[in-house]
Amino acid sequence: MASIHPTALVDPQAQLGDMVSVGPYTVIGPHVRIDEGTTVGPHCVIEGHTTLGRDNRIFQFASLGGSPQDKKYADEPTQLVIGDRNTIREFSTFNVGTAQDEGITRLGHDNWMMAYTHLAHDCQVGNHTIFANNAHIAGHVHVGDWVILGGFTCVHQFVKIGAHAMTSMATALGQDLPPFVMAQGNMAEVRGVNLEGLRRRGFSPERLKAVKEMHRALYRQDLTLEEAKGRIAELADTHPEVKQDVDLMINFLMASTRGIVR
């Protein structure tokens, strides 16, 4: 059975799994589903067509499933879908999607979302990410697995951030940030490769070397983007063990629509 504080307002149509805990003065709407083991703190609002998976921890004053900050939104039944084992800290705001995209804002599994983080409509965030305090992403942004956004990072709408990328504090990101790359500044400039993060995730010396080679091709060898893609693709031919990392980079570059930080 769910544990609901007497002062919480939970709509009778909301679906709450076993061992869900709802704190004082929290409001949960009729189209919300919360799976077992999730804890919702006091003074939260969870509304809209919102689904939360298992074992999430939602801290006080979070607002999840609110309408998009988009003038085109006309109360369509769009969704916010949150996976399992996420930590969502105070005053975070996550909006549902819009009919102009696929209609779903997604947050994957095992993410760490610090205070005041914002997920706008139609964002797609992967797994194991960290958004530091006041990191904000605008509508339609795609964020890969293991990304770290420094505090006060602001990301322009439609930007893509590749897996294992990282930004420093107060970065303004207006173009796509390739996998493995670290960026800093307003506007963002590339500062290197997230080697320490990759080591912590068990990347072998061969894979780390390939990541460095990809970075050199993109940023250090005065190549055009097309030339850099060709140089990167060659790495998989000579070192098959790094094919997954090369494919990740090539696929990202091919899918880029706003141009990359370069």
Side-chain angles (χ1 to χ4, degrees):
M1 296 291 291
S3 172
I4 303 172
H5 192 274
T7 62
L9 299 177
V10 179
D11 192 281
Q13 296 183 57
Q15 302 175 51
L16 273 58
D18 291 340
M19 305 301 292
V20 168
S21 174
V22 179
Y25 303 104
T26 282
V27 178
I28 296 178
H31 305 296
V32 173
R33 192 188 87 200
I34 303 177
D35 291 340
E36 63 184 64
T38 289
T39 299
V40 182
H43 297 280
C44 295
V45 176
I46 305 178
E47 56 185 320
H49 290 75
T50 295
T51 300
L52 285 86
R54 299 163 57 107
D55 300 317
N56 294 289
R57 189 174 182 194
I58 316 300
F59 281 72
Q60 56 267 27
F61 303 107
S63 175
L64 307 178
S67 298
Q69 298 178 109
D70 187 325
K71 289 184 177 180
K72 300 185 295 299
Y73 183 67
D75 291 321
E76 297 93 345
T78 52
Q79 301 178 60
L80 169 65
V81 177
I82 296 173
D84 303 333
R85 300 176 304 278
N86 297 289
T87 296
I88 300 172
R89 295 301 303 248
E90 299 85 350
F91 298 101
S92 292
T93 55
F94 299 174
N95 298 149
V96 297
T98 65
Q100 287 70 41
D101 204 317
E102 61 179 284
I104 301 176
T105 304
R106 288 190 180 90
L107 178 69
H109 308 304
D110 301 294
N111 298 286
W112 186 262
M113 316 297 287
M114 297 188 195
Y116 291 94
T117 52
H118 177 63
L119 264 61
H121 58 87
D122 306 292
C123 288
Q124 310 293 315
V125 179
N127 308 313
H128 302 285
T129 68
I130 298 174
F131 284 36
N133 297 323
N134 283 283
H136 299 159
I137 61 176
H140 314 280
V141 167
H142 288 210
V143 180
D145 296 343
W146 299 102
V147 165
I148 298 175
L149 299 184
F152 293 92
T153 289
C154 292
V155 182
H156 193 281
Q157 62 188 16
F158 293 102
V159 159
K160 298 179 180 69
I161 304 175
H164 306 284
M166 181 177 181
T167 66
S168 71
M169 180 182 68
T171 295
L173 196 58
Q175 292 180 294
D176 297 342
L177 184 62
F180 313 115
V181 172
M182 295 193 302
Q184 177 190 38
N186 183 4
M187 298 297 289
E189 296 181 4
V190 170
R191 300 301 186 191
V193 179
N194 185 16
L195 291 177
E196 183 57 34
L198 300 180
R199 289 190 186 100
R200 292 179 183 181
R201 289 163 212 147
F203 273 56
S204 67
E206 292 77 17
R207 294 179 70 189
L208 292 175
K209 182 179 179 182
V211 169
K212 292 178 185 178
E213 290 295 330
M214 289 190 284
H215 182 266
R216 289 191 189 98
L218 280 173
Y219 297 105
R220 299 295 178 85
Q221 295 179 336
D222 233 6
L223 303 175
T224 67
L225 185 56
E226 289 305 311
E227 290 170 339
K229 289 178 187 176
R231 189 71 56 85
I232 291 168
E234 292 172 1
L235 292 172
D237 297 331
T238 55
H239 300 86
E241 68 274 17
V242 302
K243 186 178 187 304
Q244 60 181 318
D245 304 315
V246 170
D247 287 348
L248 178 64
M249 179 64 80
I250 292 295
N251 291 338
F252 182 91
L253 297 175
M254 295 294 290
S256 176
T257 55
R258 290 189 55 82
I260 65 169
V261 178
R262 203 168 188 231

